[in-house]
Amino acid sequence: MQPAEKPIRVRFAPSPTGYLHVGGARTALYNWLFARSRSGSFILRIEDTDTSRSTDEAIVQIISSMEWLGLGWDEGPGRPGAYGPYRQMERAALYRQASGQLLSEGKAYRCYCTEEELDEDRKRARAAGRPIVYCGRCRELSAAGEQAFIAEGREAVIRLRMPETGRTVVRDLIHGDVEFENAQLGDFILVRSNGVPTYNFAVAVDDAAMEITHVVRGDDHLANTPRQLILLAAMGKQAPAYAHLPLILGHDRSPLSKRHGSVSVEEFRARGYVREALINYLALLGWSYDAETTLFSVDELVEKFSLERVGSTAAVFDTEKLLWMNGHYIRVLSAGELEARIEEYIKGTSLEGLPGKDGKPGLAELVPLVQEKMKTLADFLDLTDFFFLPLEFEPEIIEKLRGSVQPAAVLEKAIQVLYELPDFDTGTIEASLRRAAADMDIKVGKFLQPLRIAVSAKMVTPGMFETLAVLGREESLARLKAALVLIQ
Ligand code: GLU
């Protein structure tokens, strides 16, 4: 049976050695979209066989990032399925069984070479310009030879007996056919001397056992694929289809890394990015629908995504475009939804719990003032903290206040006008301040500058008329008077 005829089963298989970075998130997203668009199953498998680098905290983090992005899995941690467990270190029995079988069939063998011997081999190979692969010393070890090594106290790894000639072709759905010389692959290790399986072995066993139909993963694993293909064949298993996603580069065209700034989903979340923007942006990092369309809702992505339209050339991570997209998604959220996002976001910040408390403005009042201006949720803090926190006038900002057009006269005029207003709503405030500016023959923008600084100690705020209305008459007048004192 061809893989395509079976129900689609794909997996995202992170190694829990740190936060989920954008490359991993894109791999997860493409798997998720592929599964959702083809009525398949999306499996989350934790590849924790690198015991020195895997941590439980990283698992918690990865899960939290995936849940935040909305990339739910059908089987995996917390969602038991017929193919579990979904953490490799809990699947030891399967690997033992598979390696036992390969050993008994002579397809794998125990290797007793020491680190020193292998080091020597590598040096020699390097000097002779040969590929650095295992030399095969233990390939034909006799039972007596084995016993002697064991008596010496040597420990064994298990290696796969690889073909020494010929080629292995990876039929990649994105890169086309990629050929590898078998002689360059070498008898690689399946099981370490401490009994823990290697990445290539555990992946091949699990992809087969979990009946994975398509392996969608980063380009960095393409070179592992011929090994996994040979291993699957040795185990008598059908290989899945493979799709290796193009590398992600930073703005300088080197592989994206911490040097380029934020790279983890968690960092973007902490910086006030919304999931809609990250999903949309990551979807376009290697995939396109047509030459024009950039904005896709998750539903549209599910409808339109296909592996055929994933490109094979590296994609450049463009932080400006992501920021632009984030602003777009913040603008199109409903006011209620944006309030909920802000509420969540300001937890743990200086504004936590303050909106709506002790007569302070609530989020429902503030969101209309800032929604158009925000590019990230973090912008909410910058744009509105002056409503809640004591004003701090930096010397430069006092200079700006003093340098405004007739600041004292403008502040006095504004105080008088606002004091006398019958109503203190945005429309009334706007009309009266525009008239006041005209009376003084000062352009409205210039007239508002000292007012803006006076009420916020900032140069950039939400619209001044709305801001004054939300602050209320008493508070507005108090701030204007305090600023007047400051410059006199
Ligand atoms: N655990 C591997 C990684 O995090 C992924 C392996 C795979 O997808 O085959 O890079």
Side-chain angles (χ1 to χ4, degrees):
M1 209 197 306
Q2 291 298 307
E5 293 165 18
K6 296 190 215 158
I8 302 276
R9 290 177 58 81
V10 292
R11 84 300 195 281
F12 174 53
S15 303
T17 56
Y19 288 102
L20 179 66
H21 57 83
V22 290
R26 183 195 58 175
T27 301
L29 173 64
Y30 284 21
N31 276 287
W32 185 88
L33 288 172
F34 184 63
R36 289 290 169 273
S37 65
R38 306 271 299 263
S39 309
S41 299
F42 174 56
I43 292 126
L44 175 60
R45 184 172 77 213
I46 303 294
E47 302 207 324
D48 55 352
T49 58
D50 183 349
T51 46
S52 63
R53 292 173 63 226
S54 300
T55 65
D56 284 354
E57 297 82 77
I59 298 178
V60 171
Q61 270 303 336
I62 290 169
I63 286 178
S64 144
S65 292
M66 287 185 61
E67 281 176 341
W68 179 72
L69 286 170
L71 303 179
W73 47 99
D74 305 299
E75 298 165 31
R79 292 179 182 91
Y83 300 81
Y86 295 92
R87 223 177 131 158
Q88 287 187 324
M89 286 308 276
E90 293 170 9
R91 298 172 63 80
L94 268 125
Y95 310 130
R96 244 192 323 271
Q97 200 270 329
S99 60
Q101 173 110 16
L102 288 167
L103 280 172
S104 70
E105 291 170 357
K107 293 173 177 165
Y109 61 92
R110 289 205 166 81
C111 165
Y112 294 85
C113 293
T114 61
E115 258 326 299
E116 294 72 40
E117 287 171 331
L118 296 172
D119 261 350
E120 273 307 309
D121 292 345
R122 278 189 282 266
K123 273 191 210 133
R124 263 199 300 274
R126 220 171 276 128
R130 278 186 276 117
I132 314 274
V133 293
Y134 178 58
C135 68
R137 200 170 15 244
C138 294
R139 254 189 168 222
E140 310 302 338
L141 207 57
S142 65
E146 275 207 45
Q147 282 312 318
F149 280 144
I150 294 169
E152 262 179 52
R154 291 196 187 201
E155 287 179 331
V157 300
I158 299 174
R159 289 184 187 272
L160 187 70
R161 199 182 294 278
M162 292 281 281
E164 288 166 282
T165 57
R167 292 170 167 201
T168 298
V169 180
V170 176
R171 306 228 114 101
D172 192 85
L173 295 174
I174 293 168
H175 295 270
D177 288 358
V178 187
E179 287 196 2
F180 294 84
E181 291 284 346
N182 292 336
Q184 308 256 348
L185 300 172
D187 292 354
F188 64 95
I189 298 177
L190 304 180
V191 182
R192 302 182 180 93
S193 58
N194 61 3
V196 176
T198 58
Y199 157 72
N200 276 310
F201 183 45
V203 163
V205 170
D206 287 345
D207 285 343
M210 294 181 174
E211 297 192 52
I212 299 301
T213 56
H214 295 72
V215 167
V216 180
R217 62 184 171 196
D219 250 356
D220 48 332
H221 287 293
L222 183 56
N224 287 318
T225 309
R227 295 190 176 87
Q228 293 170 20
L229 284 172
I230 293 170
L231 185 46
L232 285 162
M235 296 190 295
K237 305 289 183 191
Q238 160 135 35
Y242 291 90
H244 287 92
L245 306 175
L247 207 65
I248 302 178
L249 306 177
H251 49 81
D252 58 358
R253 303 199 67 86
S254 68
L256 188 70
S257 73
K258 284 206 180 85
R259 287 187 302 112
H260 296 103
S262 300
V263 287
S264 72
V265 171
E266 200 44 48
E267 280 171 283
F268 283 107
R269 179 184 183 176
R271 287 175 51 202
Y273 284 79
V274 295
R275 64 177 71 90
E276 291 84 348
L278 267 175
I279 291 282
N280 190 157
Y281 186 72
L282 291 176
L284 294 178
L285 217 47
W287 171 86
S288 63
Y289 179 62
D290 53 29
E292 296 93 50
T293 324
T294 30
L295 295 172
F296 295 91
S297 67
V298 172
D299 288 344
E300 286 165 337
L301 288 173
V302 169
E303 186 195 314
K304 300 194 155 73
F305 183 82
S306 69
L307 288 174
E308 286 75 46
R309 298 203 58 87
V310 175
S312 58
T313 49
V316 175
F317 194 83
D318 178 349
T319 45
E320 283 303 311
K321 187 167 171 188
L322 172 58
L323 184 62
W324 166 81
M325 219 174 245
N326 205 56
H328 165 79
Y329 280 104
I330 285 181
R331 285 193 297 281
V332 301
L333 284 179
S334 70
E337 184 58 29
L338 182 53
E339 279 169 43
R341 305 283 178 107
I342 292 171
E343 175 108 51
E344 178 66 28
Y345 183 76
I346 64 175
K347 282 188 187 142
T349 73
S350 55
L351 295 196
E352 174 168 5
L354 295 182
K357 198 176 157 205
D358 298 336
K360 294 286 187 192
L363 292 178
E365 274 175 285
L366 293 173
V367 159
L369 271 60
V370 294
Q371 186 159 13
E372 289 294 315
K373 289 184 188 275
M374 288 167 64
K375 285 211 175 75
T376 66
L377 297 175
D379 289 344
F380 180 80
L381 302 177
D382 286 340
L383 286 166
T384 70
D385 59 356
F386 68 88
F387 284 101
F388 306 99
L389 306 176
L391 299 189
E392 279 174 35
F393 288 90
E394 305 288 341
E396 309 85 77
I397 207 83
I398 298 177
E399 276 319 299
K400 293 271 191 210
L401 180 56
R402 289 214 169 95
S404 308
V405 179
Q406 303 177 49
V410 166
L411 287 172
E412 274 167 3
K413 177 85 173 175
I415 290 167
Q416 180 209 339
V417 165
L418 295 175
Y419 178 75
E420 287 170 357
L421 281 189
D423 295 305
F424 208 73
D425 57 76
T426 304
T428 317
I429 293 170
E430 173 164 4
S432 67
L433 291 182
R434 282 186 188 281
R435 213 174 310 116
D439 286 353
M440 291 181 73
D441 204 17
I442 299 175
K443 287 213 175 79
V444 181
K446 295 244 187 296
F447 183 88
L448 294 178
Q449 171 158 312
L451 274 56
R452 183 181 315 283
I453 299 175
V455 301
S456 69
K458 286 177 198 279
M459 296 298 291
V460 180
T461 65
M464 209 17 45
F465 310 123
E466 293 86 344
T467 297
L468 291 168
V470 169
L471 274 174
R473 189 192 316 256
E474 201 183 323
E475 184 64 25
S476 297
L477 290 176
R479 292 186 183 195
L480 295 174
K481 285 176 190 164
L484 198 52
V485 173
L486 198 64
I487 55 170
Q488 271 166 353

